[in-house]
Amino acid sequence: MQFLRGLSRISRSGLRLFLSRQLYPFPVANSSQLLGDSTQKVFNHKETYSWSLVDSHGFKQQIHHQSSFLIEEPLDPFSLVADELSLLANRLRATLVSEVPKLASAAEYFFKMGVGGERFRPTVLLLMATALNVHIPEQIVGDTLAAELRTRQQCIAEITEMIHVASLLHDDVLDDAETRRSISSLNFVMGNKVAVLAGDFLLSRACVAVASLKNTEVVSLLAIAVEHLVTGETMQMTCTSEQRCSMEYYMKKTYYKTASLISNSCKAIALLAGQTTEVATLAFEYGKNLGLAFQLIDDVLDFTGTFASLGKGSLSDIRHGIVTAPILFAIEEFPQLRAVVQQGFDNPENVDIALEYLGKSRGIHRTRELAAKHASLAAAAIDSLPETDDEEVRKSRRALVDLTHRVITRNK
Amino acid sequence: MQFLRGLSRISRSGLRLFLSRQLYPFPVANSSQLLGDSTQKVFNRRETYSWSLVDSHGFKQQIHHQSSFLIEEPLDPFSLVADELSLLANRLRATLVSEVPKLASAAEYFFKMGVGGERFRPTVLLLMATALNVHIPEQIVGDTLAAELRTRQQCIAEIAEMIHVASLLHDDVLDDAETRRSINSLNFVMGNKVAVLAGDVLLSRAFVALASLKNTEVVSLLAIVVEHLVTGETMQMTCTSEQRCSMEYHMQKKYYKTASLISNSCKAIALLAGQTTEVATLAFEYGKNLGLAFQLIDDVLDFTGTFASLGKGSLSDIRHGIVTAPILFAIEEFPQLRAVVQQGFDNPENVDIALEYLGKSRGIHRTRELAAKHASLAAAAIDSLPETDDEQIRKSRRALVDLTHRVITRNK
């Protein structure tokens, strides 16, 4: 029936996923519409839905939008680009050679296979590259140009990772961090000296790589992203107690520290593809809102997550005196919490007091709400992209939307 | 007489200098030629001469070249560009006004006037900018373009300083240098972390400024400089005892740590001016050889200078276990010194032993010779530049040549 017809359109990887996860038919808002629609029309609907990953055996799905739809192929955004990611990872490691072995091994440290968490950014960028792929039929030489374009866009993904890791290396020195991504931090293993140098090395390599793309606007974008990373870190290190309690300051800092890199990289992807300003802005908005949503959930998980799931100690933000969104919301409900926050959290009792207020407040909930809002802004940006018939392009766009849901429903 | 005719051609600043320093007539190699030549011909000669600043009251001058000449305006290269340097310094301060005032003041720490030595690089670059100025008469709009070009070249000078200071800040995290240029190094005053962050601020500002020049080749050049600085520092930190005793390793490290910045910046100045590859290479060679000469004399002065004159502790290199050219030359004469060097200099007795060998050897002298060789290679690069009638350009080129002499004859 239509269900089976739908199944036959599911890609191989989607099918694997589908079968392995034993997808249960989901409740539909409007079953008469379901039977009547062709799958073609279904794919043209712009609907939002949310997937919650309850456990590895099934999906729980709710439909928020009025129009119903058949099961589209369940996407694993990461698997869509997995092969390309491996290619990138190897290429990146090959470019990090240095005549000084210690420098090379330090720079490589976080690019080792198996060190999780680092695939998020490149995944977004590669999906964005496909999502913005506008075929111009007149260009018969399209294939070579297309391959070249893809290589350049992959380069953006590599550059973004180098910049990101460089900032992590320096941040760990600044935070005296001992672990990062479930392994020892580089400064812990090789000392502050080498960590600072390795960060500088990565940054300079990234800049040379950006320059090689011969696109001065792209160079500007990434230079600004680098500057924002530094500004965000300094905002965090040197804020007054007034600023610490300001949601506005916090969101600005969060944009600088987390969202700016991905938003500017997404925009760079669009520019390299020769897209219009409008499309480039949509790409930027996607990256920005995705990044903000990601960070807000990070904030929540620092209170609600566990050591094993997060890879860093629970409550690590507050213990480092970093005041995040849940606490800031709580202060709005309980002004007396402000005084505690301004005292600082060197005294562990203050941590307990703050947690108590947090528990009584709607801080966690409101943070999740804000994250969800940004996530749907991100999804809306993708939905606003110019229509396309290309299945690959549409698949990537669905994957990008899917990411906006995963970002807010993840538990780690 | 001709002497007076020569005087009238001296620029105002040169005259001030001339009179204040009570220049004595210098011995001329060939006095008959002196009386016969017109000053015009004199200015067309390419001669080399050296000035030694013995004390503030006079010059001692020797003529190395056969052709004699009248006193050309005594140049103070630094005063030629003094006004422009102030402009640069102010602009640099303005760009450091970050959103985080506390950090900006930390980074500004090294730009304070009176902390000598850091005006050297921008002086060279500004002089180079003038020296490479090729007027193209057809361009009536030349003035605006010229002014714009000048601003861009000044920008290179600013960027070079930002990169240089950033590397000093990060080096200070590494070296635990207790004093740097007679002011407590930043990391003692404000902590390691702020030093890392301040360096990052400068680096990121430098990259943004580079991006604004809209010239990806220049971006590459200066980004590579950062990589070289880091590589040089790491080479110093991680060398094997074999490498420590290798002159080749030492010179490569010197190039990375010192000469690369100025050579690539000079090249960037040439590229911005739209010069040919040949001219750009000459500019590069000037910077490279000047930088190497500077550093070799630095090596010498670390043994022969005093605390007051150098601003850093005498023998500080060797006490930090850094083996420099004089020692490396001494090892060639006294192989038994090699074993001492490989033992390291934690034991102060080894310092004394090394100094004894050094004293018996021609190490200091040979280092000076090598420096002089690089200095004349630098001068030769300037002399190989395309001929010009423009007096400003010729003055700048003479100033650049003058610098190659000052670099090897300075006492601090």
Side-chain angles (χ1 to χ4, degrees):
Chain A
M1 293 207 306
Q2 278 181 332
F3 181 76
L4 290 170
R5 224 180 288 156
L7 254 184
S8 67
R9 295 181 72 126
I10 291 171
S11 70
R12 249 194 338 149
S13 63
L15 183 62
R16 256 202 322 272
L17 196 65
F18 180 84
L19 294 173
S20 69
R21 292 196 191 255
Q22 295 161 14
L23 187 74
Y24 300 111
F26 43 84
V28 291
N30 205 327
S31 46
S32 61
Q33 267 182 288
L34 177 65
L35 295 168
D37 288 342
S38 70
T39 44
Q40 181 61 47
K41 261 162 94 181
V42 160
F43 283 128
N44 283 338
H45 277 284
K46 291 187 173 134
E47 65 278 336
T48 58
Y49 58 94
S50 74
W51 296 78
S52 305
L53 190 67
V54 177
D55 57 37
S56 64
H57 293 296
F59 291 100
K60 187 161 65 88
Q61 179 181 342
Q62 303 148 358
I63 299 172
H64 292 286
H65 197 273
Q66 268 212 329
S67 57
S68 60
F69 57 95
L70 207 63
I71 304 166
E72 295 179 306
E73 55 250 41
L75 283 170
D76 178 5
F78 300 102
S79 65
L80 273 186
V81 295
D83 292 339
E84 217 173 352
L85 277 181
S86 298
L87 181 73
L88 248 64
N90 291 335
R91 220 157 60 194
L92 183 53
R93 291 177 70 193
T95 66
L96 291 182
V97 292
S98 162
E99 55 200 273
V100 186
K102 191 159 190 181
L103 199 54
S105 62
E108 260 198 1
Y109 189 71
F110 284 118
F111 295 106
K112 288 204 277 274
M113 299 303 279
V115 181
E118 76 281 10
R119 291 178 299 151
F120 181 72
R121 236 163 260 90
T123 297
V124 169
L125 294 172
L126 292 174
L127 288 172
M128 183 63 79
T130 311
L132 298 180
N133 221 351
V134 178
H135 288 301
I136 304 163
E138 310 93 71
Q139 284 175 341
I140 313 295
V141 291
D143 270 356
T144 323
L145 279 181
E148 200 184 291
L149 170 62
R150 191 71 184 185
T151 305
R152 285 157 67 78
Q153 288 169 327
Q154 288 169 349
C155 199
I156 295 285
E158 291 168 28
I159 289 163
T160 303
E161 268 320 89
M162 284 193 270
I163 292 174
H164 174 65
V165 171
S167 74
L168 291 184
L169 290 175
H170 281 199
D171 284 357
D172 284 348
V173 170
L174 296 172
D175 296 340
D176 289 322
E178 289 181 3
T179 60
R180 160 79 69 182
R181 291 178 176 171
S182 320
I183 60 175
S184 299
S185 60
L186 181 68
N187 53 305
F188 191 70
V189 168
M190 292 191 183
N192 284 336
K193 319 178 167 196
V194 176
V196 172
L197 284 182
D200 290 346
F201 178 75
L202 279 172
L203 193 60
S204 67
R205 281 293 166 96
C207 285
V208 171
V210 174
S212 74
L213 294 175
K214 303 261 178 238
N215 183 318
T216 57
E217 211 178 338
V218 166
V219 174
S220 276
L221 282 178
L222 289 169
I224 284 167
V226 168
E227 191 181 41
H228 283 177
L229 282 170
V230 175
T231 304
E233 190 63 26
T234 61
M235 282 177 82
Q236 186 160 289
M237 268 186 66
T238 64
C239 58
T240 64
S241 44
E242 268 309 297
Q243 289 165 326
R244 263 165 116 221
C245 296
S246 153
M247 181 61 93
E248 194 186 323
Y249 188 85
Y250 169 78
M251 288 306 286
K252 198 167 174 192
K253 181 198 77 174
T254 301
Y255 171 71
Y256 284 150
K257 269 180 72 83
T258 312
S260 170
L261 181 58
I262 188 110
S263 58
N264 281 300
S265 304
C266 283
K267 187 171 179 183
I269 293 275
L271 290 180
L272 283 183
Q275 286 284 1
T276 62
T277 316
E278 288 74 26
V279 169
T281 304
L282 288 171
F284 180 90
E285 287 295 314
Y286 174 82
K288 180 183 99 179
N289 285 295
L290 187 78
L292 289 173
F294 186 95
Q295 187 56 50
L296 287 164
I297 295 298
D298 235 25
D299 290 351
V300 166
L301 291 176
D302 195 55
F303 289 106
T304 66
T306 69
F307 186 95
S309 64
L310 193 59
K312 67 174 178 177
S314 184
L315 305 177
S316 85
D317 287 336
I318 198 169
R319 289 208 181 109
H320 280 94
I322 296 167
V323 179
T324 58
I327 298 283
L328 292 171
F329 278 128
I331 288 176
E332 286 179 22
E333 289 176 62
F334 298 98
Q336 55 273 46
L337 176 54
R338 174 183 287 261
V340 177
V341 166
Q342 283 177 339
Q343 272 180 33
F345 294 100
D346 292 328
N347 177 0
E349 279 183 19
N350 278 353
V351 175
D352 295 331
I353 296 172
L355 290 178
E356 215 185 300
Y357 277 114
L358 181 63
K360 287 193 274 185
S361 75
R362 294 182 74 243
I364 297 283
H365 180 83
R366 288 178 68 192
T367 308
R368 282 196 184 275
E369 267 187 332
L370 185 57
K373 174 185 142 201
H374 281 291
S376 45
L377 284 172
I382 297 301
D383 289 341
S384 308
L385 289 172
E387 291 263 357
T388 176
D389 290 329
D390 188 307
E391 185 52 34
E392 285 302 308
V393 175
R394 295 216 296 232
K395 200 190 297 184
S396 292
R397 293 183 187 184
R398 280 199 303 276
L400 287 172
V401 172
D402 182 63
L403 278 175
T404 70
H405 305 123
R406 287 177 182 247
V407 143
I408 55 176
T409 55
R410 63 198 170 99
N411 283 328
K412 62 178 174 89
Chain B
M1 289 209 312
Q2 277 177 334
F3 180 75
L4 289 170
R5 223 181 291 159
L7 255 184
S8 67
R9 296 181 71 128
I10 291 172
S11 69
R12 249 193 341 148
S13 62
L15 183 62
R16 256 200 323 271
L17 196 67
F18 181 84
L19 293 174
S20 68
R21 294 198 192 251
Q22 298 160 12
L23 187 75
Y24 301 112
F26 45 90
V28 292
N30 204 326
S31 47
S32 61
Q33 266 182 289
L34 178 64
L35 294 169
D37 288 344
S38 69
T39 45
Q40 182 58 48
K41 261 160 96 183
V42 160
F43 282 127
N44 284 338
R45 291 273 164 78
R46 292 197 176 122
E47 64 278 333
T48 58
Y49 58 95
S50 75
W51 297 78
S52 305
L53 189 68
V54 176
D55 56 41
S56 62
H57 293 295
F59 292 100
K60 186 161 68 85
Q61 178 179 344
Q62 302 147 359
I63 300 173
H64 293 285
H65 197 273
Q66 269 213 330
S67 57
S68 60
F69 56 95
L70 208 63
I71 303 166
E72 293 178 306
E73 55 251 42
L75 282 171
D76 178 6
F78 299 103
S79 66
L80 271 186
V81 294
D83 291 340
E84 217 174 351
L85 272 184
S86 298
L87 184 72
L88 243 68
N90 291 336
R91 220 155 61 194
L92 196 50
R93 276 197 192 89
T95 66
L96 277 181
V97 172
S98 112
E99 296 186 358
V100 187
K102 182 173 174 183
L103 191 62
S105 66
E108 221 197 273
Y109 185 78
F110 275 97
F111 292 104
K112 280 208 265 281
M113 296 305 281
V115 180
E118 78 280 8
R119 289 180 298 153
F120 180 73
R121 241 168 324 274
T123 298
V124 168
L125 295 174
L126 291 174
L127 287 172
M128 182 62 77
T130 312
L132 298 180
N133 222 348
V134 178
H135 289 303
I136 304 165
E138 310 94 70
Q139 284 176 341
I140 313 295
V141 291
D143 271 355
T144 322
L145 280 180
E148 198 184 292
L149 170 62
R150 191 71 185 184
T151 305
R152 285 158 66 78
Q153 289 169 326
Q154 287 169 349
C155 197
I156 296 284
E158 288 171 25
I159 290 166
E161 273 320 273
M162 284 194 269
I163 289 176
H164 171 68
V165 174
S167 77
L168 286 183
L169 286 165
H170 283 181
D171 276 3
D172 263 3
V173 171
L174 316 176
D175 284 342
D176 288 327
E178 286 185 36
T179 52
R180 162 94 66 179
R181 298 191 184 138
S182 77
I183 297 181
N184 277 334
S185 77
L186 189 57
N187 66 322
F188 266 69
V189 173
M190 277 169 154
N192 250 2
K193 298 178 183 185
V194 177
V196 173
L197 209 45
D200 286 348
V201 166
L202 284 171
L203 268 183
S204 63
R205 289 296 166 102
F207 284 132
V208 169
L210 268 176
S212 75
L213 292 174
K214 303 269 178 229
N215 183 319
T216 55
E217 209 180 338
V218 166
V219 173
S220 253
L221 279 178
L222 275 293
I224 284 169
V225 167
V226 175
E227 181 184 322
H228 284 176
L229 286 168
V230 165
T231 304
E233 183 63 22
T234 314
M235 282 174 81
Q236 189 159 285
M237 274 172 53
T238 64
C239 57
T240 64
S241 43
E242 268 309 297
Q243 289 166 327
R244 263 166 116 219
C245 296
S246 152
M247 181 63 90
E248 195 186 324
Y249 189 86
H250 177 71
M251 290 307 285
Q252 181 66 54
K253 184 193 72 176
K254 279 246 176 295
Y255 172 71
Y256 283 153
K257 274 181 75 76
T258 315
S260 170
L261 177 57
I262 189 132
S263 59
N264 281 299
S265 305
C266 283
K267 188 173 179 182
I269 293 275
L271 291 180
L272 282 184
Q275 285 285 359
T276 62
T277 317
E278 287 75 25
V279 170
T281 305
L282 287 170
F284 179 91
E285 288 295 316
Y286 174 82
K288 181 184 99 180
N289 285 294
L290 187 77
L292 289 173
F294 185 96
Q295 189 56 53
L296 286 165
I297 295 299
D298 237 23
D299 286 354
V300 166
L301 291 176
D302 195 55
F303 289 105
T304 65
T306 68
F307 188 97
S309 67
L310 191 60
K312 68 175 176 177
S314 185
L315 306 177
S316 84
D317 285 335
I318 197 170
R319 289 208 180 107
H320 280 94
I322 297 168
V323 179
T324 58
I327 298 284
L328 292 171
F329 278 127
I331 288 176
E332 287 178 20
E333 289 176 62
F334 297 98
Q336 55 272 48
L337 177 52
R338 175 184 287 260
V340 178
V341 167
Q342 283 175 342
Q343 271 179 33
F345 294 101
D346 292 329
N347 177 2
E349 279 184 20
N350 278 354
V351 175
D352 295 330
I353 296 173
L355 290 178
E356 215 186 298
Y357 277 114
L358 181 62
K360 288 194 275 186
S361 74
R362 295 181 73 242
I364 296 281
H365 179 83
R366 289 177 68 194
T367 308
R368 283 195 186 276
E369 267 189 330
L370 185 58
K373 174 185 142 200
H374 281 290
S376 51
L377 283 173
I382 296 302
D383 288 342
S384 309
L385 288 172
E387 291 263 356
T388 178
D389 290 329
D390 188 303
E391 185 51 33
Q392 283 303 315
I393 295 176
R394 294 217 296 232
K395 199 188 295 182
S396 293
R397 293 183 186 184
R398 280 197 303 275
L400 287 172
V401 171
D402 181 63
L403 278 175
T404 70
H405 306 121
R406 287 176 183 248
V407 143
I408 56 177
T409 55
R410 64 197 168 100
N411 284 327
K412 62 177 172 94

